[in-house]
Amino acid sequence: MITPHIIAMSETIREPRRAMNLQMGTVQTATELHLTGGLRAPMQGDKLWSLGPVLDGRTVRQLSPRPIQHVAGIAAGIGGTLFGGDEMTGMETPLLSRVWTPLDGPGSGKPQPADKWGAIAGNAADAGAADYAELAGHIAFSLKAAGIRLRDASDHHHDQLMAALAEGKVSGNRFTNIPVSDMQLAFHSVLSELASARDYLAKTLAMGLGAPPRIDALARLKDWLDAASRAHLRASPIVSDMLTAYDPASLDPWMHELTEYRNLFLHRQPLGRRGAGWLRYEERSHDGLTIPVVTMPLADDDLFAPGADALLRFVGLYRKMTDLLDRGADAAPHPSTFPHIVAD
């Protein structure tokens, strides 16, 4: 039974980029959360969010505004996750501006790891450490780029979900179409950028350990640290965490898995040629609600997560990389804070 806190989905929410009845000088803005499955939650009021789409019979609706914790709980209840928020301005113009805040979403007040590394780059440059500043800037760029490409994959999921609803697909339907390739390419970019951030971080760690310049990637850092004479260097906290995550025999070998996905899809078999070649439309139930989603399943013989939703899987790897880089920023030899500017 559909509870009374559901209200009809307006065209403004379903088409957040459409601006009507504009006046000169008016700036159209919108803020919405992104959830796996193609779900969205536009901001309504003061930090309240309306999750949609949901189904009332076969009618597409949205939930009445709720706090972000409630929206995240619904996502978790159907096996998904909230993984970012988009602030859009200039909707009344042909050139839309989007500011993406990964994971916690806009308004969290937390400094983002990409921003921390950007600050480290500036502070290292001010200190005369040009090589470190360059690497820190690369980390900031790659981490931010990976987050934006996840947002792009989410855009494609949302478009596919709304199309599936418009076409009246039945829960359990598998399908594919030409735009699916755009989603696959977004995932290629996510894996590529995360692998770049991995190696840039490894290089900064190698510099701190006194490694020669040729140690410029994680695999080379591991080989260099395998020497008995350098075994004690592995105890450095971030180094230890990174090597443990890279070890396929560890309890959570997520760095190894990220590396294998990147090598598989970018060097051996593009995404779609081996799993993740089609989408699935499903209607999931939670707390009296029927919530439609679109997923892109990985191959049934995937080495690490057979049949798992690609977006959920790669958001998970992105989250782990973000956490590592956040701790790495706090342990960096240069401050991760921006300078304060005081006006007289």
Side-chain angles (χ1 to χ4, degrees):
M1 179 176 180
I2 301 300
T3 50
H5 62 266
I6 298 178
I7 59 177
M9 176 176 283
S10 69
E11 287 302 314
T12 301
I13 301 305
R14 294 181 64 186
E15 303 281 355
R17 299 184 189 181
R18 180 180 296 167
M20 301 176 67
N21 300 323
L22 297 178
Q23 296 179 354
M24 186 65 68
T26 298
V27 176
Q28 294 284 314
T29 66
T31 303
E32 59 184 5
L33 302 176
H34 286 230
L35 304 94
T36 52
L39 301 172
R40 295 290 172 85
M43 178 181 280
Q44 300 287 319
D46 184 18
K47 296 183 179 179
L48 296 176
W49 312 84
S50 298
L51 176 67
V54 298
L55 293 177
D56 180 359
R58 301 316 302 171
T59 302
V60 178
R61 300 185 182 275
Q62 70 183 63
L63 296 183
S64 60
R66 294 300 176 96
I68 190 171
Q69 295 85 355
H70 185 84
V71 173
I74 294 176
I78 59 170
T81 190
L82 163 68
F83 67 96
D86 212 16
E87 297 174 273
M88 297 170 285
T89 60
M91 296 166 63
E92 76 286 357
T93 74
L95 191 61
L96 181 69
S97 296
R98 304 175 70 176
V99 177
W100 173 250
T101 304
L103 304 182
D104 298 309
S108 69
K110 297 180 180 179
Q112 294 295 316
D115 295 332
K116 285 186 176 183
W117 280 99
I120 290 171
N123 291 324
D126 290 343
D131 290 344
Y132 197 98
E134 183 177 29
L135 286 170
H138 292 345
I139 291 173
F141 176 87
S142 289
L143 188 59
K144 182 176 181 180
I148 290 174
R149 292 297 171 247
L150 282 174
R151 180 200 69 188
D152 293 346
S154 177
D155 285 346
H156 295 306
H157 276 74
H158 181 69
D159 292 344
Q160 293 280 359
L161 175 59
M162 300 311 293
L165 289 169
E167 294 167 9
K169 289 191 183 298
V170 176
S171 184
N173 274 176
R174 303 196 317 176
F175 65 96
T176 189
N177 48 48
I178 293 175
V180 168
S181 63
D182 293 326
M183 193 184 299
Q184 294 163 342
L185 290 174
F187 286 137
H188 275 226
S189 295
V190 170
L191 294 169
S192 178
E193 295 295 350
L194 288 179
S196 293
R198 171 203 65 192
D199 288 337
Y200 293 139
L201 177 61
K203 176 62 174 176
T204 66
L205 296 173
M207 292 174 64
L209 297 175
R214 62 181 175 81
I215 308 303
D216 59 358
L218 178 56
R220 292 181 178 180
L221 177 61
K222 177 187 177 300
D223 291 344
W224 185 74
L225 290 172
D226 280 344
S229 61
R230 291 186 282 270
H232 63 287
L233 298 177
R234 299 169 65 97
S236 176
I238 303 301
V239 173
S240 176
D241 289 350
M242 200 170 187
L243 292 176
T244 298
Y246 191 52
D247 182 358
S250 70
L251 293 177
D252 185 16
W254 65 268
M255 185 77 77
H256 166 73
E257 294 172 6
L258 165 64
T259 300
E260 288 300 303
Y261 278 129
R262 186 260 185 188
N263 291 342
L264 172 63
F265 295 135
L266 272 67
H267 293 307
R268 298 194 291 272
Q269 288 182 303
L271 192 66
R273 293 297 183 93
R274 184 183 182 279
W278 46 269
L279 305 179
R280 180 166 56 211
Y281 171 77
E282 299 177 63
E283 294 173 6
R284 299 179 179 177
S285 299
H286 175 73
D287 195 23
L289 302 172
T290 300
I291 304 175
V293 296
V294 161
T295 60
M296 176 181 275
L298 295 172
D300 291 337
D301 62 348
D302 185 272
L303 294 176
F304 310 116
D309 175 35
L311 180 57
L312 186 64
R313 178 68 171 129
F314 298 146
V315 164
L317 293 175
Y318 175 82
R319 194 180 297 274
K320 289 178 182 295
M321 179 65 80
T322 296
D323 178 67
L324 178 66
L325 288 171
D326 193 31
R327 290 182 284 116
D330 293 339
H334 302 278
S336 61
T337 54
F338 288 97
H340 294 284
I341 299 176
V342 179
D344 293 332

